[in-house]
Amino acid sequence: MANARFFPTAAPGHVLPASAIAAATAPLVDVEIFVDLVCPFSKKLLKRLRRDVSDAYAAKGVRFRFVLLPQPWHWQACVLAVGAVAAAAHGGARSFFAFVTAVFEHQDEFNDAAVRGKSATQLHARLGELAAAAGAVSAERYAALVDDDAVVRQYKNQVKYGRQLGIHVSPTTLINGLVADDVSSSWGGDEWRALLDPQLAAAAAAAAVAGGGGG
């Protein structure tokens, strides 16, 4: 018999705070975005999505969930991902996105050249400073959480999730479970509206039929 403690209590990832309403119920459209915190395109996508799209569409029933996908050729991405999960373990989605935003603002400190010769311990020390400055979690609490078994397990669950789906590129976007290859980090509001509006209309029509409103 499978031991339930080895399975996540919810789908892996972190829901944007603006999507809280959609997350609390069955969303009309589920958007999953796999990101690497060292990837400049992941940074660009999150920034534009939060600026132009997420608030308005979360209110319409779209859930935006971000899943960590540290690329193996960026060893430091694994350290950053554990740090992000530690922030989430402390303060939920708001702490997670505060931490991620801070990391993205200082992304140059964590590129391959910048971390050459540094240890994971040194990186965590710097990340703890950034986390505290961003109001995500205190440096002391951060240092404790990154070594917590539950935090490491949650990080591994996100990595396993991406691997089992065969996700290789960051960022990668899924709409209701299927990869949307055309989604670009360069997209602004117009492109996202062109993608999401038909999905919302189709979901609403399907819900009407399922509820007996189709005639």
Side-chain angles (χ1 to χ4, degrees):
M1 181 177 177
N3 192 326
R5 74 173 182 270
F6 292 118
F7 293 89
T9 56
H14 308 271
V15 177
L16 273 175
S19 298
I21 296 174
T25 58
L28 291 173
V29 179
D30 193 23
V31 179
E32 294 176 277
I33 302 175
F34 289 78
V35 295
D36 178 345
L37 300 186
V38 181
C39 170
F41 302 105
S42 294
K43 171 184 175 180
K44 187 177 179 181
L45 187 149
L46 177 60
K47 181 178 180 179
R48 292 192 172 205
L49 188 71
R50 297 187 79 177
R51 183 190 68 194
D52 300 334
V53 180
S54 60
D55 286 355
Y57 277 88
K60 296 178 181 180
V62 179
R63 179 173 62 190
F64 297 95
R65 181 156 49 93
F66 285 77
V67 184
L68 296 164
L69 182 77
Q71 300 286 16
W73 45 88
H74 299 309
W75 71 266
Q76 70 275 27
C78 298
V79 178
L80 272 60
V82 171
V85 176
H90 172 74
R94 294 191 182 280
S95 289
F96 173 84
F97 286 102
F99 177 88
V100 168
T101 299
V103 168
F104 280 159
E105 288 174 351
H106 294 266
Q107 198 176 53
D108 288 348
E109 295 184 35
F110 302 102
N111 62 36
D112 293 346
V115 302
R116 190 171 294 123
K118 294 185 178 180
S119 67
T121 299
Q122 289 174 306
L123 294 188
H124 276 310
R126 176 57 177 149
L127 290 168
E129 294 173 352
L130 293 177
V137 56
S138 71
E140 294 78 13
R141 177 68 173 149
Y142 174 88
L145 283 169
V146 294
D147 288 328
D148 185 88
D149 287 344
V151 166
V152 174
R153 185 163 58 249
Q154 289 178 45
Y155 152 72
K156 289 181 178 179
N157 284 339
Q158 292 187 55
V159 174
K160 290 176 182 178
Y161 184 53
R163 286 180 177 177
Q164 77 178 18
L165 293 177
I167 307 297
H168 298 292
V169 177
S170 63
T172 291
T173 299
L174 279 65
I175 306 295
N176 292 336
L178 294 182
V179 174
D181 287 320
D182 56 335
V183 173
S184 169
S185 61
S186 297
W187 276 18
D190 290 343
E191 292 86 356
W192 277 104
R193 280 189 288 273
L195 173 68
L196 294 175
D197 284 349
Q199 294 294 326
L200 283 168
V209 170

